[in-house]
Amino acid sequence: MFKRNLAKFNHAMGFQRSCCWQKVRPDSDLSTKERAPNETVSEDANYSSWMVEHPSALTSFDQMMKDAKGKKIVVFLDYDGTLSPIVNNPDRAFMSDEMRAAVKEVAKYFPTAIISGRSRDKVKGFVQLNNIYYAGSHGMDIMAPPRPVRSSDGNYLTVSLDRKGNDVVFQPAQKFLPAIQKISKELEEAIMKISGARVENNRFCVSVHFRQVREEDYGTLEEKVKSILKHYPDFRLDWGKKVMEIRPSIEWDKGNALEYLLDTLGLGNCTDVLPVYIGDDRTDEDAFKVIQKRGQGYPIVVTSIPKDTKASYSLYDPLEVLTFLSRLARWRKSSSSSRSLSQVWDCE
């Protein structure tokens, strides 16, 4: 039991094991200059080998855009670790002004959405842009365009207009809100004596951050979280980067959110749509799988180490994400086939 729990924590803390490696290594918490020279060379070689299967989206950019000519690109972005760096204090995961400008520019030319594990209001507060769509709580809280959604036979339910009567709010886990509030309060009381642990209520899911928790307290923290969760059979425990996440046990994830947004944009059944999804977390793999199943699109993982992924391309860090988004906007702006945003929303 101890070994299994330790393995879960190692995974959540960002420790990865590759088929090409002889040892486990951390998720780049140490700078290169803090590592032994031979270790740095070995890690660089492993990363280069991994990139043969997951080439850089920057070096592949020209070919990607050549293949995208005449098709409709829709952009989906994760937030933490993608648009902003991973930081010790999740309340200070601010994106740079340069990144905000790049996202704003991209949204001028392509429908753009951010799908985050954060609450929708919180991630919107970080991004501060009005020309994009927001999906919080891993897609369980979506602000989408005011377009017809599927009938009840298509499983799309629980929608309402926002306060201004404009965009549609879709919340498939709405009935779980009272329980989520109780879980959040119980967790805060249970872990308050564990130094470095913190609870974040993301409205339709609850995150327990342990990036600053001492290793000797890992087991205690996990036990406290699980002792509360066992009283809520309709919820499950997931693991992210140095975070435990309590979510309703419903069939809905970032992949479903991507499909929902494409449908409400009127692009769900288009055969010439290329979704571009950029994300760094395990939860983004659900969106990568959807794109892979569609047979066209660009799933791009953000990572500085080799990892198992369904992504076809990679970017090293948020700085490379910034470069990619800037190039994407410039490409569309200078493209002779450039069309206005209103022209790329509907199937022809």
Side-chain angles (χ1 to χ4, degrees):
M1 176 65 73
F2 174 76
K3 290 183 177 179
R4 183 165 66 249
N5 289 340
L6 181 59
K8 288 181 180 180
F9 266 105
N10 282 340
H11 176 76
M13 289 292 290
F15 284 73
Q16 305 287 337
R17 183 182 295 274
S18 168
C19 60
C20 306
W21 294 2
Q22 299 300 315
K23 62 180 181 178
V24 176
R25 59 168 295 216
D27 186 14
S28 299
D29 283 339
L30 296 177
S31 66
T32 300
K33 62 184 179 182
E34 291 176 311
R35 304 177 188 136
N38 60 336
E39 182 182 0
T40 302
V41 171
S42 175
E43 291 172 356
D44 288 345
N46 286 324
Y47 188 73
S48 297
S49 176
W50 176 83
M51 286 189 67
V52 172
E53 298 295 326
H54 310 282
S56 167
L58 294 180
T59 58
S60 306
F61 184 85
D62 290 341
Q63 184 60 50
M64 292 167 68
M65 294 305 105
K66 181 179 179 181
D67 295 339
K69 189 173 182 180
K71 298 183 178 180
K72 301 177 179 70
I73 292 177
V74 184
V75 178
F76 299 92
L77 304 165
D78 181 29
Y79 184 75
D80 293 276
T82 299
L83 299 181
S84 72
I86 297 293
V87 295
N88 287 334
N89 184 346
D91 292 333
R92 300 192 63 79
F94 303 122
M95 67 190 301
S96 67
D97 291 338
E98 292 81 6
M99 183 69 83
R100 183 175 294 104
V103 174
K104 183 178 182 179
E105 190 70 10
V106 164
K108 288 182 181 179
Y109 304 103
F110 312 101
T112 302
I114 293 179
I115 305 179
S116 172
R118 302 286 196 124
S119 71
R120 176 167 53 84
D121 289 341
K122 183 170 290 186
V123 75
K124 187 174 182 180
F126 279 136
V127 178
Q128 300 176 18
L129 293 175
N130 295 321
N131 62 336
I132 63 177
Y133 303 105
Y134 295 92
S137 303
H138 300 289
M140 289 183 283
D141 187 9
I142 302 176
M143 183 71 80
R147 288 174 173 265
V149 298
R150 292 181 186 178
S151 66
S152 58
D153 293 334
N155 297 323
Y156 285 170
L157 301 170
T158 319
V159 298
S160 60
L161 294 179
D162 70 355
R163 293 176 182 176
K164 296 181 180 179
N166 296 321
D167 292 347
V168 171
V169 180
F170 175 66
Q171 299 170 334
Q174 195 172 56
K175 70 176 183 178
F176 296 99
L177 275 176
I180 291 171
Q181 298 305 315
K182 290 179 63 178
I183 291 173
S184 179
K185 184 177 180 180
E186 290 177 25
L187 284 170
E188 288 179 352
E189 294 176 353
I191 72 167
M192 61 186 303
K193 294 183 179 180
I194 300 179
S195 178
R198 60 184 300 158
V199 175
E200 181 180 14
N201 187 332
N202 289 310
R203 193 172 189 197
F204 291 98
C205 60
V206 181
S207 299
V208 180
H209 299 274
F210 56 92
R211 181 170 293 273
Q212 295 179 291
V213 173
R214 297 175 302 177
E215 186 174 352
E216 55 264 36
D217 291 332
Y218 289 171
T220 301
L221 179 61
E222 183 183 16
E223 287 178 9
K224 288 184 177 295
V225 172
K226 287 186 174 180
S227 67
I228 292 173
L229 193 59
K230 70 181 181 181
H231 298 295
Y232 296 90
D234 292 331
F235 289 79
R236 70 176 190 264
L237 178 64
D238 291 329
W239 302 81
K241 286 186 174 180
K242 300 182 180 180
V243 62
M244 288 181 280
E245 293 185 322
I246 294 86
R247 301 165 60 180
S249 296
I250 63 173
E251 293 298 322
W252 195 266
D253 52 39
K254 289 185 176 183
N256 299 112
L258 183 152
E259 292 179 313
Y260 178 86
L261 284 164
L262 286 178
D263 281 349
T264 56
L265 284 166
L267 301 174
N269 295 320
C270 293
T271 58
D272 60 347
V273 170
L274 286 179
V276 175
Y277 190 106
I278 306 177
D280 75 304
D281 197 57
R282 185 184 59 80
T283 57
D284 298 309
E285 293 294 327
D286 295 316
F288 296 160
K289 291 175 185 177
V290 167
I291 296 177
Q292 188 179 64
K293 185 177 179 180
R294 289 177 62 91
Q296 59 181 356
Y298 298 136
I300 304 172
V301 65
V302 183
T303 180
S304 60
I305 62 171
K307 61 165 60 174
D308 291 333
T309 180
K310 296 295 183 181
S312 301
Y313 299 93
S314 64
L315 292 168
Y316 190 82
D317 56 18
L319 185 59
E320 286 201 355
V321 174
L322 171 61
T323 302
F324 180 87
L325 293 176
S326 299
R327 288 185 65 180
L328 183 61
R330 288 198 303 270
W331 172 79
R332 173 55 78 187
K333 187 175 183 179
S334 63
S335 173
S336 59
S337 62
S338 177
R339 294 175 289 178
S340 67
L341 188 59
S342 62
Q343 289 178 292
V344 301
W345 274 7
D346 295 301
C347 294
E348 296 175 350

